[in-house]
């Protein structure tokens, strides 16, 4: 949980510093309440440029056109619109065209109105955070924001890399060696001649087998029986005979074995009649997870492994093959067995795919833990308890923390909110930069700027409609007194005559038929 909180806190702190710098101009390390001085000319009046909508250029006619002017079809409008956006043309510096509203602002509005656009907006978020170069030159202090942005990118990459490492680590078993302390004790109940029940009139002893995990820091304590797959207690055959020397545990089985419906317990107890000391043997089979196997003696000596999991055994085999260069140089799928492999696998050559199947006959159940104990009926030995420490493997507590870190969504909502605020602030800065450029260009040469603006408006209007020529020149009489007008009139009448002739010929042909 500490890793999860530190990672989430670092991301949140970085986002907060980015937002504070953009909104209040607070650089990292500056005292609270301090502000950076602004340099250069003011960024322009608040609100959209020119007091109008940012989506419509001043002077642009309303969507409703005059009835006398033609409008293109819907399909032509769709084809013409990209041409307007992509056409390279000269216009006043900083002036926003009718179709040049910043795409990021339009995307953000669309994403707010339509939740389905959220994924597309996220893909552009990293680029949207970057301040344009001209703004960075205008405000040198903005370099602190870019440094924070680079730090955030490094932090995100580090967290992502660590998440991938954790995911890979969780795929492998994470075990920890711990000590399981085993307590073996017994009590003796002497016979009572005046007892009414049959149990009291016969001498008996009771054996207890209990245990606990040392330094168990888990919230839920593991039961003693959960560490074992089976438990067998063998009593002295000379006293209890060959048919009654295996103790029935829990009153149901001669041997205790784990089943899917087994209820875990903190210990076992066995009660038997007797008034003499008894030698017993405890056989405890650990419940290995994942399962472990004892190797055939010949293979164990070759690999230097006594008991291990199947995957570790196969890995040791592969290491032996590589070390001794047993892989066939022509057919990599085969292994050329040396004299030891030939004795173990009984073949001169075998495939890699055959190894798991051939290993089945060479893997045996692991040896049980054997404890010899004497059940004493001497009253002086009643309070003695035998203790044994057993090495067991338990789940690493770090695994639960790693899983919770991957599944945690802490601080995600706050980080997303800070991200949105940063994007909105960057959009506002870009809009203010556009306003400032417009005002500066207008202040340098008001007349020339207005003339350039009108020319740009006229070019855009031609592209957005199907108007051919220059309407402003065509409405003057001098336009029709140019030398080319005579030839244009002749061509016009000639085309009309040809069109009328074709219509008459078609009419006569239809009448003759």
């Amino acid at each position: 949980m500490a890793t999860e909180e530190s990672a989430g806190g670092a991301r949140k702190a970085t986002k907060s510093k980015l937002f504070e710098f953009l909104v209040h101009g607070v650089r990292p390390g500056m005292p609270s309440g301090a502000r950076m001085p602004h340099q250069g000319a003011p960024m322009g009046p608040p609100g959209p440029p020119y007091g109008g909508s940012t989506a419509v250029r001043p002077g642009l006619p309303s969507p409703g056109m005059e009835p006398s002017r033609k409008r293109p079809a819907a399909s032509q409008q769709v084809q013409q619109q990209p041409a307007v956006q992509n056409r390279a043309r000269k216009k006043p510096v900083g002036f926003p065209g009718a179709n040049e509203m910043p795409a990021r602002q339009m995307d953000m509005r669309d994403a707010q109105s339509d939740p389905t656009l959220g994924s597309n907006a996220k893909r552009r978020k990293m680029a949207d955070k970057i301040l344009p170069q001209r703004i960075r030159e205008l405000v040198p202090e903005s370099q602190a924001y870019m440094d924070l942005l680079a730090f955030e990118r490094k932090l995100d990459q580090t967290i992502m890399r660590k998440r991938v490492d954790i995911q890979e680590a969780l795929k492998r078993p994470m075990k920890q060696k711990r000590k399981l302390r085993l307590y073996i004790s017994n009590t003796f109940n002497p016979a009572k001649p005046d007892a009414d029940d049959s149990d009291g009139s016969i001498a008996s002893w009771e054996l207890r087998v209990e245990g606990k995990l040392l330094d168990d820091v888990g919230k839920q304590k593991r039961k003693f029986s959960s560490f074992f797959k089976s438990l067998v207690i063998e009593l002295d055959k000379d006293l209890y005979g060959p048919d009654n020397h295996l103790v029935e545990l829990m009153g149901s089985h001669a041997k205790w074995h784990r089943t899917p419906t087994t209820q875990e317990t903190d210990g076992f107890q066995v009660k038997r009649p007797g008034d003499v000391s008894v030698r017993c043997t405890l056989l405890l089979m650990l419940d290995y997870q994942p399962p472990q196997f004892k190797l055939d003696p010949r293979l164990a000596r070759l690999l230097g492994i006594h008991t291990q999991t199947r995957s570790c055994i196969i890995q040791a085999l592969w290491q032996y093959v590589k070390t001794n260069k047993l892989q066939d140089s022509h057919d990599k799928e085969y292994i050329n067995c040396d004299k030891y492999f030939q004795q173990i696998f009984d073949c001169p050559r075998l495939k890699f795919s055959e190894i798991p199947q051939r290993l089945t006959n060479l893997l045996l159940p692991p040896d049980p833990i054997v404890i010899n104990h004497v059940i004493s009926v001497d009253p002086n030995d009643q309070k003695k308890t035998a203790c044994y420490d057993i090495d067991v493997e338990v789940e690493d507590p770090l695994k639960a923390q790693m899983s919770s870190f991957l599944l945690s969504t802490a601080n995600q909502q706050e980080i997303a909110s800070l991200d949105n605020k940063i994007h909105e602030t960057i959009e506002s800065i870009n809009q203010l930069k556009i306003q400032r450029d417009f005002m500066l260009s207008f202040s340098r040469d008001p007349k020339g700027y207005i003339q350039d603006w009108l020319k740009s408006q006229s070019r855009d209007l031609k592209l957005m409609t199907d108007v051919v020529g220059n309407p402003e020149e065509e409405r003057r009489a001098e336009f029709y007194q140019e030398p080319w007008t005579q030839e244009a009139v002749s061509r016009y009448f000639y085309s009309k005559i040809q069109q009328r002739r074709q219509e008459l010929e078609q009419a006569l042909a239809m009448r003759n038929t």
Side-chain angles (χ1 to χ4, degrees), residues 295-312:
L295 274 70
D296 180 272
R298 297 171 298 173
L299 187 59
R301 286 195 301 270
L302 186 65
L303 301 180
I305 296 176
H306 183 268
T307 303
Q308 196 50 268
T309 61
R310 182 185 290 268
S311 60
C312 291

Side-chain angles (χ1 to χ4, degrees), residues 88-198:
R89 56 182 181 274
K90 260 188 188 177
K91 59 174 176 256
V93 177
F95 185 80
N99 292 311
E100 293 186 38
M101 180 181 179
R104 292 187 293 273
Q105 183 174 353
M106 298 170 68
D107 292 337
M108 291 181 65
R109 292 179 181 176
D110 293 341
Q112 292 174 358
S113 60
D114 187 359
T116 60
L117 298 179
S119 60
N120 293 333
K122 288 180 180 178
R123 295 174 189 171
R124 296 185 292 268
K125 277 188 176 181
M126 197 60 212
D128 293 347
K129 292 181 183 179
I130 300 176
L131 284 173
Q133 183 63 31
R134 296 187 63 184
I135 295 180
R136 280 180 272 168
E137 295 173 356
L138 185 65
V139 185
E141 290 82 358
S142 62
Q143 185 59 38
Y145 167 77
M146 298 304 297
D147 294 341
L148 277 174
L149 204 60
F151 176 76
E152 181 200 14
R153 190 181 297 110
K154 283 185 178 180
L155 181 63
D156 288 341
Q157 291 174 353
T158 303
I159 293 175
M160 183 59 66
R161 186 168 59 252
K162 291 300 181 183
R163 290 178 70 92
V164 173
D165 293 342
I166 291 173
Q167 290 174 353
E168 292 298 324
L170 288 176
K171 295 178 182 178
R172 300 185 295 270
M174 299 178 62
K175 298 294 183 179
Q176 195 177 48
K177 290 283 187 180
R178 301 290 294 277
K179 292 288 185 182
L180 177 67
R181 179 152 294 175
L182 193 66
Y183 301 95
I184 302 177
S185 61
N186 68 275
T187 58
F188 174 66
N189 300 317
K192 297 178 181 178
D194 56 346
D196 297 334
D197 55 348
S198 58

Side-chain angles (χ1 to χ4, degrees), residues 33-34 133 147 177 213 243 279 358 404 413 437:
Q133 183 63 31
D147 294 341
K177 290 283 187 180
L213 197 65
D243 298 330
R279 295 191 308 272
R358 291 179 177 271
S404 63
Q413 188 173 0
D437 290 342

